Amino acid sequence: MANTGTKKILIATGEASGDLHGSNLVRAIKGMNPNISFMGIGGEKLAKAGVEILVSSSEIAVVGLTEIASKIGAIIRAWLKIRSVIRKKHPDLLILIDNPGFNLSLARVAKAN
């Protein structure tokens, strides 16, 4: 990545392992270009790597179908919030880690915008 001004990257993870891998990726990218800003869905590791956490991944993390029912409201609110961010802030790149049901729908929003 060339150092050509501030770039905005939206990153979305859905579980602890994604938070770990995402944080390593963020640090590597920032090492190549410190002018890149990150925002998105994640946990403590992404926050420590410098990501502005818009939604905590713990709010929407589910294991199995039965947990979805108890978290559906939080999942919908998170999806609407990130959809709005994509539409209003037009991130330069979207990085999606794990959580395919949620993240693939975000990819469609990003592609349309």
Side-chain angles (χ1 to χ4, degrees):
M1 290 183 184
N3 192 348
T4 59
T6 302
K7 301 288 185 189
K8 298 174 291 194
I9 296 178
L10 192 144
I11 186 167
T13 67
E15 59 184 50
S17 65
D19 193 52
L20 171 64
H21 296 302
S23 68
N24 290 332
L25 179 61
V26 167
R27 280 193 288 282
I29 291 171
K30 284 185 170 232
M32 292 186 296
N33 184 345
N35 292 322
I36 295 176
S37 67
F38 288 84
M39 62 188 155
I41 300 173
E44 185 178 313
K45 288 179 176 57
L46 277 175
K48 286 181 180 177
V51 176
E52 176 190 354
I53 302 299
L54 304 174
V55 176
S56 172
S57 56
S58 65
E59 293 176 26
I60 62 169
V62 294
V63 178
L65 295 175
T66 56
E67 275 193 40
I68 291 174
S70 67
K71 293 192 174 186
I72 193 69
I75 292 167
I76 291 170
R77 284 189 299 278
W79 190 87
L80 291 171
K81 181 173 189 171
I82 300 303
R83 180 186 71 175
S84 177
V85 168
I86 290 169
R87 289 178 171 173
K88 291 178 182 175
K89 295 191 177 185
H90 304 286
D92 297 294
L93 180 65
L94 183 62
I95 298 173
L96 305 171
I97 302 172
D98 61 39
N99 203 5
F102 187 90
N103 282 340
L104 291 175
S105 65
L106 286 180
R108 286 189 290 279
V109 171
K111 183 178 180 181
N113 287 278

